[in-house]
Amino acid sequence: MAGSPNTNPHKPRWLLAELTYACPLQCPYCSNPVDYSNYPTELSTEDWKRVLTEARKMGAVQLGLSGGEPLTRTDLAEIVRHASGLGYYSNLITSGYGLTEARIVELKEAGLDHIQVSIQASTQELNDHIAGTKSYSHKQDVARLVKKHGYPMVLCVVIHRKNIHQMADILKMASELGADYLELANTQYYGWAHKNRDLLLPSREQFETAEKIAQDYKETVKGKMKIYYVVPDYYEDRPKACMNGWGTTFLTVAPDGVALPCHSARELPGLDCPNVTDFSIDAIWNDSKAFNFFRGDDWMKEPCRSCSEKAQDFGGCRCQAYLLTGDMYNTDPVCSKSPNKHLVQAAIDQAMASAEQTIEVPLVFRNSKNSKNISN
Amino acid sequence: MALNPDSLWAFSPMHRLQWEEAQQKDVILYPEGMVELNQSSAEILKLCDGSRNLDKIVTDLEEKFQAHGLKHDISQFLEVALNNGWITEH
């Protein structure tokens, strides 16, 4: 545990406000905790406004309004208006489900800066299957309306074994919809995605083929559409610089008010993550056990501790170390220097064996019934 | 790619230029991203209001900072800005 509060040079820049766990979609790779049904309470409008005010005062400037589906909050425009008055750049991260033109206009007037719409696949059949809800044509309409009303339009497509073969069509769809940015997010295996990993993880060959198609397309749409490619870290030699370092940049507040150094940190044991209804954002950021837990590098074990690259990737992801090795202090096993690298290979092998099965196990969709079953 | 000397430059409507008190610097904000600017870059971008071409931006900045020979640096930065989509031809 490094970083005494008085010497903490880092201030929050990004605030991810997970307004609710409620969602009409059931994506089997959802990053929400699998036991989200255990946390049914939601912060009030006034609590959110206070959180926004306090975080802004400390320097947070990018605001993600997420969930669940943030549109299920009837006070969304009021929260947006408050954020806009404080000078945040506000990003609505939505499935688009339930987004009408009237609401798009209302949010624009409230000062919303950008809308990110997720689409699950390039075809209706697969989109609606993955989303667990009929939503494909509505999402396309929403994407067009977002453009029409002058927002920068970001299309987000989560990539996995069920849709990775559609890469060329996904790129074409994004271009035709007029997306300013396309985020191709290879599934990160936490939460529900970890639960469904055997069915979602593509092979290395599939990744490489799809990545090449996406990289080539970057040239085609240069100056019109920016493509962000979120790398599939199971096939990397070095871990991602998770959260830009623990407690340096990111602050997530979960629907029930629990403040998290990353949105998956709820899965880690013993962090005692504080609630914004009990503490100020300043106290949470500077003084809480959770935000100081992996600050700096005093916590590191070998091979990270003596590694020349530790200031670049911060040992990778704590949640991944915990999920794959059972010890959150371990080097992220994605790293080729990790003595646990074989666990990543074992996960890949297991997923590939599952792909060979003639009778496929069904996906576990993200919904309250499944969440309750998993939690019990 | 050389800049067209006649083009009038405007800051992109898809981005936002904003002073950040906590960081004591100007930043460019866009979907889920932020670029921190040094003072000279910020001064150049603030003059991209759709009414100035390259020469006018250079003249105004040289006057403001009592300096000479800024054209090369300003031109280079505007190319970077254009490639990043921070400015557009008005």
Side-chain angles (χ1 to χ4, degrees):
Chain A
M1 283 204 240
S4 119
N6 296 328
T7 58
N8 178 15
H10 300 292
K11 297 292 168 209
R13 293 280 178 259
W14 287 70
L15 172 60
L16 179 64
E18 294 184 328
L19 298 177
T20 179
Y21 282 139
C23 187
L25 267 56
Q26 307 179 47
C27 306
Y29 46 73
C30 182
S31 63
N32 287 160
V34 289
D35 63 347
Y36 74 86
S37 59
N38 285 340
Y39 315 110
T41 59
E42 288 187 6
L43 289 181
S44 69
T45 313
E46 291 313 309
D47 281 333
W48 277 118
K49 286 185 180 176
R50 181 179 56 80
V51 166
L52 262 51
T53 302
E54 290 180 6
R56 180 73 184 125
K57 208 171 280 176
M58 292 184 69
V61 61
Q62 282 282 354
L63 172 67
L65 298 163
S66 172
E69 174 49 68
L71 291 168
T72 62
R73 289 280 303 216
T74 53
D75 56 358
L76 181 60
E78 188 176 349
I79 292 169
V80 166
R81 196 170 295 113
H82 187 74
S84 174
L86 293 167
Y88 276 104
Y89 188 91
S90 51
N91 308 273
L92 178 65
I93 299 160
T94 177
S95 69
Y97 198 85
L99 191 53
T100 59
E101 185 160 19
R103 203 142 185 223
I104 289 173
V105 172
E106 181 196 24
L107 290 167
K108 184 89 187 172
E109 284 167 1
L112 183 66
D113 290 292
H114 134 243
I115 298 180
Q116 181 197 102
V117 182
S118 65
I119 291 189
Q120 279 65 16
S122 64
T123 57
Q124 174 158 12
E125 189 187 6
L126 187 56
N127 177 88
D128 293 356
H129 170 62
I130 294 292
T133 310
K134 274 198 191 321
S135 52
Y136 181 73
S137 53
H138 177 58
K139 280 165 176 285
Q140 301 236 330
D141 292 342
V142 165
R144 289 191 192 95
L145 287 169
V146 166
K147 281 291 284 181
K148 177 183 164 191
H149 289 281
Y151 291 98
M153 197 263 279
V154 180
L155 211 59
C156 176
V157 184
V158 176
I159 305 295
H160 45 76
R161 199 160 82 219
K162 307 277 181 192
N163 67 3
I164 195 163
H165 62 285
Q166 296 186 337
M167 182 57 80
D169 291 332
I170 289 168
L171 291 158
K172 194 159 156 261
M173 171 184 74
S175 177
E176 283 170 4
L177 287 170
D180 297 292
Y181 302 83
L182 172 64
E183 188 173 317
L184 295 167
N186 276 289
T187 303
Q188 307 286 306
Y189 294 93
Y190 307 98
W192 294 83
H194 185 253
K195 194 113 206 111
N196 287 303
R197 189 179 60 197
D198 286 350
L199 296 166
L200 295 175
L201 185 68
S203 69
R204 179 182 288 275
E205 291 71 28
Q206 286 175 310
F207 270 133
E208 287 173 352
T209 306
E211 183 171 15
K212 177 155 186 350
I213 294 170
Q215 298 297 357
D216 290 349
Y217 204 75
K218 268 188 184 172
E219 286 303 309
T220 315
V221 292
K222 203 175 173 194
K224 282 179 272 183
M225 180 170 83
K226 279 191 183 157
I227 298 177
Y228 293 138
Y229 196 81
V230 180
V231 299
D233 65 355
Y234 275 40
Y235 291 106
E236 294 289 311
D237 289 331
R238 288 290 179 274
K240 55 189 173 241
C242 204
M243 307 320 286
N244 194 36
W246 187 274
T248 66
T249 313
F250 290 90
L251 166 66
T252 295
V253 179
D256 58 348
V258 168
L260 304 165
C262 93
H263 61 275
S264 291
R266 241 186 160 133
E267 299 185 87
L268 299 176
L271 258 57
D272 301 336
C273 292
N275 195 297
V276 298
T277 55
D278 300 323
F279 302 96
S280 70
I281 298 298
D282 191 294
I284 286 169
W285 184 263
N286 288 311
D287 306 335
S288 72
K289 178 182 171 188
F291 279 77
N292 282 297
F293 218 94
F294 295 111
R295 258 192 190 129
D297 56 19
D298 286 357
W299 57 271
M300 283 181 184
K301 306 206 305 195
E302 292 295 352
C304 289
R305 178 174 282 274
S306 60
C307 181
S308 62
E309 295 170 67
K310 67 179 174 184
Q312 281 136 55
D313 57 35
F314 320 107
C317 172
R318 297 302 88 223
C319 302
Q320 190 143 279
Y322 178 65
L323 279 172
L324 294 186
T325 76
D327 181 350
M328 62 182 177
Y329 294 92
N330 275 340
T331 297
D332 186 331
V334 157
C335 185
S336 61
K337 297 183 182 182
S338 162
N340 293 302
K341 179 77 181 175
H342 65 281
L343 295 174
V344 177
Q345 191 54 50
I348 294 169
D349 293 344
Q350 189 181 310
M352 294 311 104
S354 159
E356 301 289 314
Q357 299 280 323
T358 43
I359 301 166
E360 202 169 75
V361 186
L363 288 163
V364 180
F365 284 94
R366 179 252 193 233
N367 56 43
S368 297
K369 184 165 155 267
N370 285 335
S371 177
K372 280 178 190 137
N373 284 341
I374 292 165
S375 316
N376 289 334
Chain B
M1 182 180 65
L3 292 174
N4 180 345
D6 299 326
S7 297
L8 303 178
W9 298 106
F11 191 74
S12 153
M14 291 285 146
H15 295 74
R16 196 159 95 203
L17 184 60
Q18 175 169 306
W19 171 255
E20 277 300 290
E21 193 62 32
Q23 301 177 59
Q24 289 293 301
K25 59 178 70 149
D26 286 285
V27 299
I28 297 172
L29 297 165
Y30 54 96
E32 297 181 55
M34 175 170 75
V35 176
E36 300 179 10
L37 297 170
N38 60 28
Q39 197 197 349
S40 52
S41 304
E43 293 295 338
I44 297 168
L45 290 175
K46 282 176 198 167
L47 293 184
C48 295
D49 61 359
S51 75
R52 294 177 176 85
N53 63 13
L54 173 62
D55 278 345
K56 179 71 175 142
I57 291 170
V58 172
T59 315
D60 286 2
L61 282 174
E62 287 184 344
E63 192 176 315
K64 182 170 179 181
F65 293 101
Q66 297 288 301
H68 300 287
L70 298 183
K71 185 166 178 175
H72 178 71
D73 287 350
I74 292 173
S75 176
Q76 273 198 331
F77 177 74
L78 285 176
E79 279 186 42
V80 171
L82 185 61
N83 285 331
N84 281 291
W86 303 335
I87 58 170
T88 56
E89 281 188 64
H90 189 57

